[in-house]
Amino acid sequence: MKTLFDCKDDIHSCSKCGLCQSVCPIYKITGNDCTVSKGQFIMLRGLLRGELKMTKTINRYLDLCLKCGACSRFCPSGIDVVDIVALAKAEYFKLHKTEKLKSFILKIGIKSLNLINKILHKVFKTKSKEHFEKVIYFGGCGGANESVIKILNSMDIEVITPDFECCGFPFFVRGDMKTFESYIESFYKVLEKYDTYDVVVNCATCEKTLKSYPKWHKGKEINIKNVFEFINENHPVFELKKPKKVTFHKPCNLDNYNSVKEILNNTKNLEYIEMNDFDSCCGLEGITNFKEHKTMSKLFTGKRNNIIESGANIVLTSCLACKITLSLFSKGKYKVQDFIEFLANNIK
Ligand code: SF4
Ligand code: SF4
């Protein structure tokens, strides 16, 4: 697998223009250059040249990065900052047993979640008819969501739900590349049993991670699609049983917000209000970063205020991690729901 040293050219291509500073949610709070890609690349150059060592302080700055990718989308040099930060974290991971222990505990937690979901899946029923189109559904560590099956079945699509594991993102961002690779291998192994490579995903972070697999591992070509793109291609018209007012938090990893917006705007009886900074990071990476509590709570408060100011009492999203983060900091001011679950539960 690639290492930080393979990204030397990308790191050197940073022109230090500082445009990343204008979009980085963490830099906006800290004002500290070391917390944004521009400053991080200066540190990493020192590391590559052997002038600096991978210390706790450098790791702290890497941990402050939310891996939201906002800077990459804005960077004139097109640098993939999230990949580089993950590979820099991998250098720290290799040297520290405590990081390995944390990753091991996380792995046990995710495996247990997978197991619970496998048991629950047994009760999910997917409709199947000869004329139905078939699609494989990747549910990730949150498991297959019955709502996705219900919505796709209503559009004459048969949903296959194999026993997939996690997409590996939680390990990738912590620099545990070995575990990340093992999840990629497990994904391709499961797929080998099927004759279709059309995979539909509900969680935006799983989608982004699965789409990145060819960068890290040679495997068969797969066609990953977000469930919203898939729905839009079939042009269904949804109508809610009762009028509802909602806002939407766009996960950083959601590529196709337009598909979501189209469904939100075209669903009858649904009023969609786009909140301020609807696409700014929820701060998931900050949840476990207890040492930076002050910085992170400013981020969560900003997001909560935007939701409240929208006037909607329901905030929809499409990433399990965003759903957890938004719920944890809601203070009971709004309900957080997965968009597909909301549709499945409220349409006529
Ligand atoms: S926007 Fe890109 S090129 Fe400019 S300073 Fe940031 S990382 Fe470097
Ligand atoms: S990924 Fe997000 S948090 Fe990290 S440096 Fe880029 S904009 Fe800032």
Side-chain angles (χ1 to χ4, degrees):
M1 197 176 247
K2 235 164 114 178
T3 71
L4 182 67
F5 294 85
D6 298 315
C7 303
K8 211 164 141 190
D9 291 346
D10 285 336
I11 293 171
H12 281 97
S13 70
C14 168
S15 62
K16 303 193 195 72
C17 66
L19 284 174
C20 45
Q21 294 170 335
S22 61
V23 289
C24 173
I26 289 296
Y27 180 78
K28 281 182 194 167
I29 296 170
T30 63
N32 181 338
D33 241 349
C34 298
T35 62
V36 67
S37 24
K38 179 187 163 194
Q40 291 187 345
F41 289 162
I42 294 172
M43 288 187 297
L44 295 181
R45 273 186 214 178
L47 209 79
L48 293 175
R49 286 199 205 108
E51 295 160 1
L52 287 177
K53 286 220 160 64
M54 178 53 96
T55 58
K56 270 190 179 171
T57 310
I58 294 185
N59 187 53
R60 180 194 158 220
Y61 290 131
L62 297 172
D63 275 345
L64 268 165
C65 167
L66 301 166
K67 287 85 180 171
C68 66
C71 51
S72 295
R73 291 189 281 278
F74 218 65
C75 174
S77 305
I79 307 171
D80 195 328
V81 177
V82 179
D83 282 4
I84 294 174
V85 171
L87 290 171
K89 287 279 307 162
E91 294 304 312
Y92 189 79
F93 185 89
K94 282 179 208 163
L95 302 170
H96 293 84
K97 281 189 183 149
T98 45
E99 295 301 305
K100 289 179 186 141
L101 181 67
K102 281 189 224 164
S103 197
F104 179 69
I105 296 168
L106 184 65
K107 203 170 168 181
I108 293 177
I110 289 179
K111 290 254 179 216
S112 317
L113 195 63
N114 275 152
L115 193 69
I116 295 167
N117 286 318
K118 267 181 204 172
I119 297 164
L120 290 176
H121 288 179
K122 306 286 178 220
V123 298
F124 288 177
K125 285 194 181 81
T126 180
K127 281 186 201 156
S128 165
K129 280 186 191 150
E130 231 169 71
H131 68 279
F132 273 21
E133 192 185 329
K134 270 187 194 171
V135 72
I136 291 178
Y137 168 36
F138 180 89
C141 51
N145 189 327
E146 203 177 1
S147 305
V148 172
I149 301 172
K150 189 177 162 188
I151 295 280
L152 294 183
N153 278 174
S154 74
M155 298 181 322
D156 289 358
I157 297 161
E158 182 184 336
V159 186
I160 305 164
T161 55
D163 283 337
F164 284 120
E165 294 188 82
C166 171
C167 66
F169 183 79
F171 301 93
F172 169 71
V173 286
R174 272 155 195 82
D176 182 354
M177 295 304 176
K178 218 172 150 191
T179 305
F180 176 51
E181 202 171 14
S182 72
Y183 278 114
I184 302 179
E185 280 165 7
S186 143
F187 173 81
Y188 283 114
K189 214 170 159 194
V190 172
L191 268 194
E192 271 171 19
K193 297 177 202 153
Y194 300 91
D195 54 2
T196 170
Y197 287 92
D198 288 331
V199 180
V200 70
V201 191
N202 180 29
C203 171
T205 299
C206 294
E207 179 197 357
K208 187 95 170 181
T209 310
L210 297 190
K211 282 181 176 169
S212 80
Y213 282 1
K215 268 200 281 186
W216 308 101
H217 185 97
K218 274 185 196 151
K220 289 206 173 179
E221 216 171 288
I222 33 169
N223 180 23
I224 310 283
K225 230 174 233 178
N226 186 296
V227 68
F228 305 108
E229 286 175 65
F230 208 78
I231 290 173
N232 269 332
E233 280 171 12
N234 289 275
H235 310 292
V237 179
F238 297 120
E239 182 172 359
L240 303 191
K241 289 177 230 161
K242 283 184 192 161
K244 300 229 181 238
K245 198 194 234 184
V246 300
T247 188
F248 184 82
H249 161 74
K250 179 197 162 294
C252 301
N253 291 323
L254 179 72
D255 279 339
N256 204 333
Y257 171 62
N258 286 342
S259 288
V260 173
K261 205 172 168 179
E262 214 175 308
I263 303 171
L264 284 165
N265 287 329
N266 292 337
T267 300
K268 292 177 188 167
N269 263 343
L270 181 67
E271 186 185 347
Y272 171 51
I273 302 148
E274 197 172 78
M275 65 170 138
N276 284 336
D277 291 336
F278 68 96
D279 55 353
S280 70
C281 183
C282 67
L284 160 77
E285 281 303 305
I287 288 186
T288 49
N289 205 340
F290 302 113
K291 286 184 210 152
E292 309 295 342
H293 177 71
K294 257 190 177 171
T295 308
M296 297 306 169
S297 61
K298 281 185 191 162
L299 197 85
F300 300 134
T301 308
K303 182 53 88 178
R304 183 170 58 234
N305 289 345
N306 285 330
I307 296 171
I308 295 168
E309 278 162 22
S310 76
N313 60 352
I314 300 171
V315 54
L316 303 176
T317 193
S318 60
C319 163
L320 179 65
C322 294
K323 189 181 160 191
I324 295 170
T325 314
L326 297 174
S327 305
L328 277 175
F329 297 93
S330 69
K331 289 192 172 175
K333 303 275 184 200
Y334 48 80
K335 269 193 206 159
V336 188
Q337 281 182 288
D338 177 87
F339 185 21
I340 288 292
E341 265 173 33
F342 171 84
L343 271 183
N345 294 333
N346 290 288
I347 50 174
K348 277 187 176 171

